Amino acid sequence: MQAAPTGGRAIDQVLTADAVSFAYGAHPVLDRVTLGVGSGEFVALVGPNGSGKSTLLRIMLGLLRPASGSVRIFGESPRHLEERWRVGYVPQRSSAAGDVPVTVEEVVATGRLARRGWWRRPGPADRAAVDHALSAVALSDLRHHPVRALSGGQEQRVLIARALAGDPELLVLDEPVAGVDAESQRLFRDSLVHLVREHRAAVLLVSHELGAVADDLDRIVVLRHRVVFDGPPSELARRGVSLGVHAEDLPLWLEGLR
């Protein structure tokens, strides 16, 4: 499933950033960042704390405007993309429901709204997708529980399931498994691999914890305000950076990166 590094060109690119720069006031965050993710490609975006990863994701999703450069999702500006169901997004540690008294199943089912249309009643395909998403993150037994009664890790798994339920063509995840137990990480990994291999979806994953998916990644993009590495995991391994057994090697290496 190996793909060519997309600092250059990839076939059927679904997400591209071209020379993107951004600053908060006088503080530069991104410096001419160029990368892409192709259909059926599993890419991890990593970098030390404060390197601009979350800012880049927000620009790619149309939540921020770049100071310069451009972004395209399925060939469109993110702000002009009409078929929003094609993109799934799991933000970093946000609340799934706040104080609203909704169940796990009800929150996950909202992941189908953009694809189905809010005015249509859920059909068998919608219910099957919700069931599959709940199973993928080991929440089937908690489907009728109120979200506000869940632990932080369980609530994060609800957000992951909501994104998976939409069966997106591009799934973007920002530190999705922080605080999630090892078994749920394994199920999460299986679901991502299924999306990539069976549905040819593109996955862009931001995480310091890559152990669960180390053997499944096509590429790793290392960001430190600019792209300093874009290539297969095997190349990082040749540099002495472990993604699997010694999972702490990656964050230690990233924080020491200059």
Side-chain angles (χ1 to χ4, degrees):
M1 197 168 69
Q2 200 69 4
T6 43
R9 296 288 180 266
I11 297 174
D12 298 327
Q13 284 193 337
V14 300
L15 175 64
T16 59
D18 184 16
V20 167
S21 295
F22 185 84
Y24 291 106
H27 178 60
V29 178
L30 299 173
D31 179 20
R32 293 168 293 176
V33 172
T34 294
L35 63 89
V37 182
S39 177
E41 195 173 20
F42 194 171
V43 178
L45 176 66
V46 302
N49 292 329
S51 62
K53 302 184 300 297
S54 292
T55 297
L56 179 60
L57 287 193
R58 289 174 63 81
I59 290 172
M60 285 179 157
L61 293 168
L63 303 175
L64 288 175
R65 292 182 183 272
S68 61
S70 63
V71 171
R72 290 289 182 270
I73 298 181
F74 304 109
E76 302 283 344
S77 164
R79 292 174 177 267
H80 298 147
L81 182 67
E82 295 184 358
E83 297 173 312
R84 301 302 301 180
W85 62 265
R86 300 178 75 184
V87 181
Y89 175 48
V90 179
Q92 186 177 27
R93 302 303 298 170
S94 68
S95 175
D99 294 326
V100 180
V102 292
T103 67
V104 169
E105 183 176 36
E106 288 170 336
V107 171
V108 174
T110 64
R112 298 292 297 176
L113 286 176
R115 175 182 278 270
R116 185 185 76 238
W118 62 267
W119 61 91
R120 294 192 178 94
R121 295 178 62 85
D126 300 304
R127 291 187 284 272
V130 170
D131 289 344
H132 177 73
L134 288 167
S135 176
V137 295
L139 284 176
S140 297
D141 292 343
L142 297 177
R143 65 191 306 146
H144 300 303
H145 280 55
V147 171
R148 61 187 179 185
L150 301 180
S151 68
Q154 289 170 331
E155 191 170 353
Q156 187 68 358
R157 284 152 57 193
V158 172
L159 294 173
I160 293 169
R162 182 175 65 184
L164 294 176
D167 194 19
E169 295 177 22
L170 168 65
L171 182 59
V172 180
L173 309 105
D174 191 359
E175 296 287 358
V177 295
V180 176
D181 62 88
E183 175 62 13
S184 293
Q185 287 192 37
R186 183 187 67 77
L187 292 167
F188 169 62
R189 171 265 175 202
D190 291 347
S191 185
L192 291 186
V193 170
H194 177 76
L195 266 179
V196 171
R197 293 182 178 172
E198 302 300 324
H199 296 263
R200 295 296 295 166
V203 173
L204 178 61
L205 169 67
V206 173
S207 181
H208 275 138
E209 302 175 31
L210 296 180
V213 297
D215 295 332
D216 305 293
L217 294 169
D218 292 305
R219 288 170 34 235
I220 296 177
V221 178
V222 180
L223 185 71
R224 189 178 177 87
H225 308 299
R226 58 186 177 84
V227 174
V228 297
F229 176 86
D230 185 347
S234 58
E235 178 60 30
L236 277 186
R238 283 193 287 270
R239 301 185 184 194
V241 181
S242 171
L243 304 180
V245 177
H246 305 291
E248 71 277 6
D249 286 5
L250 178 62
L252 286 174
W253 178 74
L254 290 173
E255 294 303 330
L257 185 65
R258 293 293 180 266

